[in-house]
Amino acid sequence: MPTPRPLLPVLLAWALALSSPAAAAAAAADDTGIETARTARQIAPGVRLESYDRLESDRWLRIDELVVDTSGGTGGVRVEYLGGDGPETVAEAAARHRTGPGRRVLGAVNGDFFDVRGSGAPLGPGLRDGRLLHSPAPGTASAPAVGFGPDGRGRILRLGLAGSVTLPGGRVRPLAGFNAARPPAEGFAAYTADWPGAALPDPGGPAVELRGGRVAAPPVLAPARRARPVPGTTLLIARGATATAELAALRPGDAVAVAARPVTGAGPVPWAAVGGREALVVAGVPQDHDGEPNDTAAPRTAVGFSRDGRQVRLVAVDGRQRDSGGLTLTGLGRMMRRLGAYEALNLDGGGSTTLLAGAAGATAPVLENTPSDGTPRPVPNGLVLTAPAGSGRLAGYRVEPLGGAGPDFGRVLRGLTRTLTATGHDAALGPAPGAPSWSAAGGGSVDPAGVFHALRPGSATAYARRAGVEGALPLDVLGPPARLRPTRDRIGLAERGESAGFGLVGYDAQGAAAAVEPRDVTLRFDRSRWNVTGDGRGGFTVSARTARATGMLHATVNATGASAELALGVGLEALPVAALEDAARWTGPGAAAAEGRAGRGLALSVPAPAPAPLPGSAASATPPRPVPLPELARSVSLWVAGDGSGARPDVRLADAGGAALTLRGPAADWTGWRRITLPLPPLPPLPERPLTLTGLSASGARGRLVLDAVAAETPPTGPAPAYRTRPDPVVAGAAGVRARPWRFAVGPAVPASARNPDADFVLTGAMERPAFTHRGVRFLPLDTGRATLDGGGLGRMRSLRAALAAAAREPGTGALAVVRQYAPRAVDRKEAALLTRYLGEFRRTTGKRAAVITVGAPRFTAGRSEGVLEVSARRGGRTLFGADAFAAGDWLSVRPG
């Protein structure tokens, strides 16, 4: 199970490290962001997985890295060539990888850039067991690669081809390509059973098949694309007048010898190698790629080495997602250097970025990162970690909660349960059989089936034991569930038989959250319309039994009666989005109102294409204001009147975080009206709902399209259930507030001459004053004027971390109050969640109090999350707070204004 990094020691160390101006300046120059979360797990001796989140000034980042120590030599961890049988996912290739006797697969990453629109073969070199599998694409004498020796030591090098073709009579010609992604412009190239692509590329000239070093059949002058040669045969192709004539002269039975071997610029030929592209770190210096075509923020895969080549880092950075924006090449190089790389190389990124990692006792590695396409992309090769298989004798257990290692599953509400799993492992963390017996200490018990029963709040530990070995899992037992919420408010299914998942989260009186398992709730729903079952991972699966229906699912916690509702729907209906009756108000080049299919429509006239190198022509129209799409929409449809020109209509959207998304329509090669439907991409990871329509456009061929009646095909679930909560105990009358030792107010500014007999001071939300401490409470104003990903979030979190570290070490400070102006569009959901998590961990680790006070909200609210009080003061009102930072119970009382 990943081990969370403790918060308080990190904050204190961070504050101390920046206590000197020189240290602070150095940190700012080298590290523009902050790490916000980290987990780690040991996979095998010498291999661990590190996963962490970062907040940069302009993006969130999610990074996974396999840290490998290869100092064990040939009998330890090895990095090997993965794949070579044609494009497939990294997981598929890892499952088929031939490890050799007594070894197992620990993890893998994707490898080289490849001919994505052609043969699917890698563009660089590849070696396995010291043997050349494929040479770099013709035209380069050598190409950058990561290589590993038989002892595991790694380095970055350049690999090229030294090859020859010996023709009848002893004539020797150079070999220009060996299993290369693209044939050479001139000369000979050979293809064998080691071809790593899909179909062979078009030779573009004559070819002959060789078997056993002899011509097997007359040359074929114009062969079609074909599958890889069978083992024992070689396909020899020729391009250019000289090579073509020599190959055409061959006859069956002629002796032809093809030789190919790898060559390096310096040093020995590695045992395994995969090609890459840009150097990220050279001799300890991160490289500057500013201005280069590939230096844009994107998902990234990289390999880094320590100076002696014994420590290897296989790194995956997620990108093109709201939760992780990716890195530029320059940023990736700086990050790899911070991680300790003396040299590092960029591998294929984008939708190819994939990282798998195993766990103690696991039989196969699993996907750790989130590919930007939503699912892993087939790739031609990669790098795979293998290690000795181990003895198989039980040495311990990996104990985990069923459903995941996140905080919601590491907690249990009092009176409820958590299903636990125990995976046996040997001393090398390889699989080992043996069912355990269960026990627990602290606030609960475990039954023989491995189900933990939470009995009283506090810490608990579950144990799995057998024959003197054990594994343990710490658990937090919260209070009883006071309220229940589903992880999704609505589920919309397109058709009968389709299914979707959801979970239930319970909250105790302090707002601390824990997942609620199926056995602890009773569900009520129309069983003639829906099937709802446990998914075997602590959640639920809903499927439709009819083609069209709406309904409601009611969930009730058996122990306390806390309940929640979930709206259900199946079937699709076209909901109007933009009728375009206001087409005259849509503005943009080439846009004009026109006669639509029924009423007014929008005409888009695409001009003649601009001469190269100028961009192509397009017409576009922007609505007077963004138009919202239904949150559960599956596709967008519209009527298009084509003129046969082949111009393409596009629908431009933005997600909830402002990220752009374009749905591209077909070439309108028809005349008259036709309805087109453009599917929305599935979740996850993109886009973040809800979506808005930001424009319509047409591009490509010169022509005129008329658009009308934009709609969204959406399941008919109806509105999400409304949730009502009881007033929080901090809400009090005037007497309750006056009973506190002192008071402060939140509201409009008052003249300097005015007295505040009932308050020591007034917080206006203008953030005109810095952090200050008053009677045991440290107040931290946070400026919400800048958006999270415009530097505002990074600045706020830095201020928060400094304030938490200061409050933690000050004996006279009993509470921290964060004060911020209401700004829902400036603070994104990840920053809001991070603020709550930091304050909740501060409260748990120090025993001190915390609150978030929001000024200028539309209405007054009061509640708590993770024990942190959250109060929103109404705009224009005067909310009075009574405070006692060292009170035994709640430290605030609030009178709404």
Side-chain angles (χ1 to χ4, degrees):
M1 175 179 176
T3 304
R5 194 179 191 185
L7 170 71
L8 186 56
V10 173
L11 292 176
L12 291 173
W14 181 83
L16 291 173
L18 296 187
S19 57
S20 99
D30 183 57
D31 190 353
T32 59
I34 58 174
E35 186 176 300
T36 62
R38 177 180 286 266
T39 60
R41 72 170 183 254
Q42 197 73 23
I43 294 173
V47 182
R48 72 179 187 273
L49 172 71
E50 300 275 353
S51 300
Y52 42 98
D53 296 334
R54 289 181 60 84
L55 172 60
E56 306 289 341
S57 62
D58 60 348
R59 75 199 67 192
W60 294 94
L61 285 176
R62 172 69 178 179
I63 302 159
D64 296 282
E65 61 167 322
L66 287 164
V67 184
V68 186
D69 181 359
T70 65
S71 58
T74 57
V77 180
R78 291 204 300 254
V79 185
E80 303 173 5
Y81 184 98
L82 176 67
D85 298 317
E88 57 187 343
T89 67
V90 175
E92 291 168 340
R96 300 198 305 133
H97 183 68
R98 298 176 290 277
T99 62
R103 297 188 68 83
R104 61 191 175 101
V105 170
L106 302 177
V109 295
N110 65 291
D112 199 359
F113 292 80
F114 61 100
D115 186 15
V116 66
R117 294 182 178 85
S119 64
L123 298 176
L127 276 70
R128 179 162 52 208
D129 299 336
R131 182 169 57 87
L132 181 66
L133 299 178
H134 49 88
S135 66
T140 56
S142 62
V146 289
F148 302 86
D151 62 350
R153 192 189 302 267
R155 75 186 200 270
I156 294 173
L157 71 161
R158 297 192 70 86
L159 277 173
L161 169 66
S164 63
V165 178
T166 303
L167 298 171
R171 294 167 295 161
V172 179
R173 302 290 182 258
L175 184 67
F178 183 74
N179 287 327
R182 297 162 186 156
E186 188 166 330
F188 290 98
Y191 292 89
T192 71
D194 288 327
W195 164 248
L200 288 174
D202 184 355
V208 68
E209 187 176 273
L210 308 177
R211 295 180 193 163
R214 294 189 178 275
V215 177
V220 179
L221 296 181
R225 290 170 65 96
R226 53 184 293 176
R228 69 170 47 82
V230 299
T233 66
T234 298
L235 185 70
L236 185 66
I237 70 169
R239 280 192 168 188
T242 301
T244 296
E246 290 182 320
L247 188 143
L250 295 176
R251 296 294 178 262
D254 284 351
V256 178
V258 176
R261 62 181 179 85
V263 292
T264 68
V269 172
W271 188 249
V274 162
R277 188 172 290 176
E278 295 89 356
L280 301 172
V281 181
V282 176
V285 179
Q287 301 300 289
D288 186 352
H289 292 276
D290 289 352
E292 296 180 13
N294 195 26
D295 193 40
T296 57
R300 297 290 182 183
T301 305
V303 181
F305 300 101
S306 59
R307 189 164 190 166
D308 63 1
R310 289 299 190 188
Q311 186 180 76
V312 184
R313 292 181 181 270
L314 308 179
V315 179
V317 182
D318 285 340
R320 298 174 186 161
Q321 304 166 41
R322 183 66 179 174
D323 285 352
S324 189
L327 281 174
T328 64
L329 289 173
T330 300
L332 182 63
R334 291 172 181 166
M335 187 193 79
M336 295 299 291
R337 183 68 190 103
R338 287 198 302 269
L339 294 175
Y342 184 73
E343 55 181 1
L345 186 69
N346 181 49
L347 302 186
D348 190 17
S352 299
T353 291
T354 308
L355 184 142
L356 308 180
T363 58
V366 297
L367 180 67
E368 292 292 339
N369 76 308
T370 304
S372 62
D373 291 349
T375 57
R377 175 186 291 177
V379 295
N381 65 7
L383 293 170
V384 61
L385 298 178
T386 71
S391 66
R393 293 189 296 272
L394 186 66
Y397 287 100
R398 172 169 51 93
V399 183
E400 293 181 311
L402 183 71
D408 287 357
F409 288 91
R411 297 167 162 183
V412 195
L413 293 155
R414 193 188 77 187
L416 306 190
T417 62
R418 179 71 69 240
T419 302
L420 307 179
T421 63
T423 305
H425 61 80
D426 60 22
L429 302 185
S437 60
W438 292 93
S439 62
S445 63
V446 186
D447 65 24
V451 178
F452 177 83
H453 298 260
L455 303 178
R456 55 189 177 275
S459 298
T461 304
Y463 296 95
R465 294 187 172 102
R466 180 187 176 96
V469 302
E470 72 173 28
L473 175 69
L475 294 164
D476 290 328
V477 178
L478 308 177
R483 57 190 176 94
L484 185 70
R485 289 293 298 268
T487 54
R488 302 169 64 175
D489 291 331
R490 298 184 294 162
I491 288 181
L493 305 174
E495 58 189 3
R496 179 172 55 195
E498 185 177 279
S499 62
F502 72 96
L504 292 173
V505 179
Y507 300 84
D508 67 7
Q510 290 294 322
V516 177
E517 293 194 14
R519 71 166 58 85
D520 292 322
V521 296
T522 298
L523 303 180
R524 290 188 295 111
F525 57 93
D526 187 340
R527 297 178 185 273
S528 68
R529 296 182 172 187
W530 317 98
N531 283 323
V532 184
T533 59
D535 62 6
R537 302 183 302 276
F540 302 82
T541 300
V542 178
S543 60
R545 303 185 66 179
T546 61
R548 186 173 182 84
T550 59
M552 196 73 69
L553 181 147
H554 305 264
T556 304
V557 177
N558 300 330
T560 64
S563 62
E565 293 182 321
L566 176 65
L568 305 175
V570 60
L572 293 176
E573 58 183 19
L575 301 181
V577 172
L580 297 179
E581 289 298 322
D582 62 345
R585 300 177 60 197
W586 290 56
T587 57
E595 182 179 352
R597 182 171 177 269
R600 184 79 64 173
L602 175 68
L604 296 175
S605 299
V606 183
L614 297 176
S617 301
S620 63
T622 301
R625 64 186 61 83
V627 181
L629 265 65
E631 187 169 354
L632 299 182
R634 295 295 189 90
S635 60
V636 174
S637 66
L638 64 158
W639 285 93
V640 179
D643 60 358
S645 63
R648 292 178 178 272
D650 295 334
V651 177
R652 303 199 308 270
L653 307 171
D655 74 359
L661 171 70
T662 300
L663 306 181
R664 303 199 179 279
D669 54 5
W670 64 85
T671 57
W673 288 99
R674 180 178 295 183
R675 185 172 180 263
I676 64 170
T677 300
L678 309 177
L680 290 166
L683 299 176
L686 287 176
E688 183 181 347
R689 308 295 177 99
L691 305 174
T692 54
L693 172 66
T694 59
L696 299 170
S697 61
S699 60
R702 178 181 183 181
R704 181 177 185 270
L705 304 180
V706 181
L707 313 181
D708 199 358
V710 183
E713 284 65 38
T714 309
T717 63
Y723 284 89
R724 296 180 181 178
T725 58
R726 298 176 182 175
D728 193 272
V730 299
V731 180
V737 172
R738 285 197 301 270
R740 297 289 184 175
W742 65 279
R743 288 154 296 283
F744 65 94
V746 172
V750 297
S753 59
R755 298 181 61 191
N756 290 286
D758 59 346
D760 289 20
F761 55 84
V762 178
L763 297 173
T764 67
M767 308 306 166
E768 70 280 358
R769 63 190 302 178
F772 65 98
T773 301
H774 184 81
R775 301 185 68 172
V777 180
R778 175 175 280 271
F779 286 86
L780 174 64
L782 287 183
D783 183 3
T784 56
R786 295 174 65 190
T788 299
L789 300 186
D790 188 29
L794 182 59
R796 288 187 287 269
M797 288 303 104
R798 281 179 168 158
S799 298
L800 177 63
R801 284 160 58 118
L804 289 171
R809 64 174 179 258
E810 293 171 348
T813 297
L816 174 70
V818 173
V819 183
R820 62 184 183 182
Q821 188 73 26
Y822 179 75
R825 295 185 180 276
V827 179
D828 72 13
R829 59 176 178 80
K830 286 200 69 174
E831 183 189 342
L834 183 61
L835 172 69
T836 299
R837 181 168 69 82
Y838 274 175
L839 293 176
E841 291 179 2
F842 166 80
R843 176 179 173 271
R844 287 191 297 273
T845 54
T846 66
K848 299 185 179 186
R849 319 302 181 81
V852 178
I853 300 171
T854 302
V855 184
R859 61 185 182 279
F860 173 85
T861 62
R864 60 192 76 202
S865 178
E866 300 299 325
V868 178
L869 296 171
E870 298 178 345
V871 180
S872 295
R874 183 177 61 86
R875 184 184 307 120
R878 191 170 188 271
T879 301
L880 190 63
F881 292 75
D884 182 355
F886 303 98
D890 282 334
W891 67 283
L892 287 179
S893 295
V894 184
R895 188 191 72 191

